[in-house]
Amino acid sequence: LIGDNHPNTVESVPDDKADDGDWDESVSMEQQMHCAELGVTRFVGFDEAEIFSDWSGCYDCSPDYNPILGKLPEIDGLRAAFGFSGHGFKLSPVIGAMLAGDALGESTTSVLGGLGLVDGKGEDVNIKTYSYDRFEQKRQLTGSYRGAGA
């Protein structure tokens, strides 16, 4: 699985067209070759790899480029995970555990087998860290990726 979501190489869709039901999921040969070249430069043996299939989709992101996780206001029982800005695939095992733990009332440390998550300040990271209301509460996450991302 190789993709490219760099703003200089992907199509940008205005917000009013983002969910119009007419998304073209095809990937041009030029885009496929670009991604293949990325793979060849990063992974040993990829110079012999073949393109098996292609797919395109929307690149969703939150204002701070981190996912929104957990309960949503006014929708009882729903747990959500969206806005990953391209890094959701690699985070999915931990995110799945965090969502399950939240639904069951378990701590993040508990659902990760006793291993907690800690931020750069040594503070616990849990599903509340990524809550929907963090933007209203001015708790955006920051880091080195585009001045955002934690």
Side-chain angles (χ1 to χ4, degrees):
L1 177 63
I2 298 175
D4 180 24
N5 60 4
H6 191 278
N8 295 335
T9 61
V10 297
E11 174 187 6
S12 180
V13 179
D15 288 345
D16 64 334
K17 301 274 186 189
D19 193 18
D20 64 3
D22 197 27
W23 181 262
D24 179 5
E25 292 182 5
S26 66
V27 181
S28 72
M29 185 54 68
E30 180 182 359
Q31 291 167 319
Q32 290 181 46
M33 292 308 297
H34 174 74
C35 289
E37 289 170 6
L38 291 175
V40 167
T41 60
R42 293 185 173 118
F43 303 106
V44 175
F46 267 50
D47 54 337
E48 299 294 322
E50 296 179 28
I51 296 173
F52 180 74
S53 66
D54 61 76
W55 175 85
S56 72
C58 293
Y59 176 81
D60 66 335
C61 60
S62 70
D64 65 6
Y65 293 89
N66 283 282
I68 295 170
L69 305 176
K71 298 176 185 177
L72 295 179
E74 301 179 21
I75 306 175
D76 190 39
L78 175 69
R79 300 304 190 277
F82 61 92
F84 287 89
S85 72
H87 53 278
F89 183 79
K90 65 184 170 187
L91 297 176
S92 60
V94 170
I95 298 302
M98 290 174 77
L99 289 171
D102 185 52
L104 296 171
E106 300 282 334
S107 72
T108 298
T109 301
S110 172
V111 297
L112 295 178
L115 302 172
L117 300 174
V118 180
D119 68 14
K121 298 174 189 169
E123 297 179 19
D124 283 341
V125 174
N126 58 48
I127 203 158
K128 288 180 180 61
T129 305
Y130 297 93
S131 68
Y132 179 82
D133 62 4
R134 73 178 184 267
F135 304 105
E136 278 181 11
Q137 298 172 2
K138 308 286 189 231
R139 294 185 296 111
Q140 288 196 33
L141 302 173
T142 60
S144 60
Y145 180 67
R146 289 191 187 182

